[in-house]
Amino acid sequence: MTDQEHSSPLVHLALRDRHMAQGARFAPFAGWEMPLQYEGIVAEHLAVRERVGVFDVSHLARAWVEGPDADELLRSVTTFDVTTLPVGQAHYSLYCNETGGIEDDVFIYHLPGERWLVIHNAANADRDFERLRAVAGNAASEVTPETVMLAIQGPEAIGLLGTVVSAEIPSMQPRECAELDWRGTSVLFARTGYTGEDGGECIVDAEHAGALWDALIDGGATPAGLGARDTLRLEAALPLHGSDIDATTHPYEAGLGFAVSLDDGAPFTGREALAALKAQPRTRRLAHLAARARGVIRAGFAVREPGGTEPICCLTSGAYSPSLRLGIGMAYLPVEQATRGTMLEVDVRGRALPVEVVRRPFYRKPED
């Protein structure tokens, strides 16, 4: 539990009553009261992998930056060159500090009318918005309280969204975004997600969000909570800020070099450090570990050489994989041990559990 959760009341979701009606069990997360699970984490996880699930991710902070200079202002604080991003496209980016450490990872959406939407992680929301206001002033505005964000994910998600929200959605490509009319109100839709499955995310005014949630549930979507969202993102080997990436890690050792643009020469926070880090040999790399015996591995568990007593490092993430039916996790390993096929051990409460370094992602969709 964070200090914020101790010092102030939890923020309630606009759709709290609907989550309660679905049997949600809540837990505090980054100052919000969030649905952890409904039917159960494994059932919700498999519903997303096999059919379609809907997550209320309204805890993610949402801010607009608008105006003719919005792209240049965003470029000055984010690692990806958003000035190259066409209207109707979204891209993953990072906020880094002057030493190249990852302060947060964000998604940036380019909408018509010189408008840019930035999605921040909940735990960093206040600091991230201050970062935007520092460069954009009143051109930046936060809209988190008055909007709801829903993530619809799974192999049947696009079909459901095409039926419920707009017939335009099935023709949209990954990372495309658009404002669509739904029952007389605007829904900002992006073909993005955090599960490794196809699908999309919808942002809608809070007053219309209940009707959209109901329509998605009536259409067959399974309500899913933060528990399933975490196991899904881990199977997809997607890093979680505050666990797998933070201010002490840099993009290149985390496998996030694709989110850093250096060729344009534009100044942004951390640019010089990142250029130097890119040129240096890696000393460690975020590696992906799969258990080779029964046992669940968790964040913080020590990783050792087989038969060793001294930890090499600790897991940054770890969980039971419902799709693969084994323990999986991530850890920063020395580069010489971060190669596929390397055998190591994880200390599971005093028991040495054998693990193997595998390629990412952990889970791949079955071939048709």
Side-chain angles (χ1 to χ4, degrees):
M1 187 175 291
T2 67
D3 290 340
Q4 179 185 7
E5 289 161 357
H6 280 299
S7 61
S8 60
L10 296 176
V11 179
H12 288 173
L13 295 167
L15 301 184
R16 185 175 189 270
D17 289 347
R18 280 175 166 80
H19 297 309
M20 292 180 66
Q22 292 287 339
R25 282 188 276 169
F26 294 91
F29 182 80
W32 290 73
E33 180 195 56
M34 294 296 296
L36 179 65
Q37 59 181 302
Y38 301 82
E39 180 183 355
I41 292 173
V42 172
E44 294 159 29
H45 178 112
L46 295 176
V48 173
R49 283 280 180 252
E50 298 167 4
R51 299 179 301 280
V52 56
V54 56
F55 303 82
D56 188 337
V57 291
S58 299
H59 64 302
L60 298 176
R62 300 170 288 286
W64 288 98
V65 180
E66 304 179 65
D69 300 322
D71 57 345
E72 297 289 348
L73 296 172
L74 284 170
R75 178 64 180 124
S76 72
V77 292
T78 59
T79 59
F80 181 72
D81 183 7
V82 295
T83 66
T84 65
L85 196 61
V87 173
Q89 294 282 336
H91 205 283
Y92 181 81
S93 189
L94 306 168
Y95 292 146
C96 285
N97 57 33
E98 293 291 357
T99 63
I102 302 171
E103 297 281 354
D104 202 5
D105 59 341
V106 300
F107 237 92
I108 301 176
Y109 306 75
H110 189 187
L111 280 303
E114 299 173 328
R115 298 156 60 237
W116 301 76
L117 181 71
V118 186
I119 304 296
H120 300 131
N121 282 300
N124 304 317
D126 292 342
R127 184 171 62 250
D128 285 351
F129 185 62
E130 289 173 6
R131 187 189 306 263
L132 292 181
R133 287 297 295 268
V135 296
N138 291 333
S141 59
E142 186 177 8
V143 292
T144 308
E146 60 262 35
T147 57
V148 164
M149 186 170 179
L150 303 177
I152 303 90
Q153 303 282 290
E156 298 176 7
I158 294 300
L160 175 63
L161 286 161
T163 300
V164 170
V165 179
S166 172
E168 296 179 38
I169 288 177
S171 64
M172 294 176 65
Q173 299 301 305
R175 294 191 302 279
E176 285 191 348
C177 57
E179 291 170 300
L180 305 171
D181 179 76
W182 182 73
R183 299 184 183 179
T185 193
S186 177
V187 172
L188 196 164
F189 172 78
R191 196 158 179 178
T192 52
Y194 190 54
T195 64
E197 291 291 337
D198 200 356
E201 296 169 305
C202 295
I203 298 173
V204 63
D205 288 344
E207 62 182 303
H208 298 102
L212 179 57
W213 172 272
D214 292 344
L216 293 166
I217 296 295
D218 291 345
T222 296
L226 286 186
R229 190 168 182 260
D230 190 54
T231 54
L232 288 158
R233 71 91 193 166
L234 183 53
E235 286 187 349
L238 299 173
L240 174 65
H241 191 270
S243 297
D244 310 300
I245 52 175
D246 58 28
T248 70
T249 63
H250 66 75
Y252 300 108
E253 64 186 359
L256 300 176
F258 68 90
V260 181
S261 305
L262 297 174
D263 293 344
D264 63 340
F268 63 88
T269 306
R271 186 190 193 285
E272 291 183 4
L274 289 169
L277 288 166
K278 183 179 181 180
Q280 294 171 2
R282 306 288 168 267
T283 59
R284 64 176 189 170
R285 183 174 294 118
L286 186 60
H288 306 83
L289 305 172
R292 293 302 180 232
R294 291 178 62 87
V296 179
I297 56 181
R298 302 289 185 193
F301 285 9
V303 181
R304 303 182 303 230
E305 292 183 343
T309 58
E310 294 299 318
I312 300 169
C313 61
C314 291
L315 292 172
T316 55
S317 282
Y320 172 77
S321 164
S323 301
L324 303 174
R325 299 183 181 181
L326 50 81
I328 58 174
M330 296 194 284
Y332 283 93
L333 293 176
V335 290
E336 61 272 15
Q337 294 171 313
T339 57
R340 186 165 33 156
T342 300
M343 295 300 299
L344 299 165
E345 293 177 351
V346 171
D347 184 346
V348 181
R349 299 181 178 88
R351 180 171 69 93
L353 180 69
V355 297
E356 181 181 356
V357 177
V358 298
R359 63 174 179 160
R360 66 183 302 266
F362 294 100
Y363 172 82
R364 288 175 173 78
K365 298 177 186 179
E367 296 292 336
D368 293 332

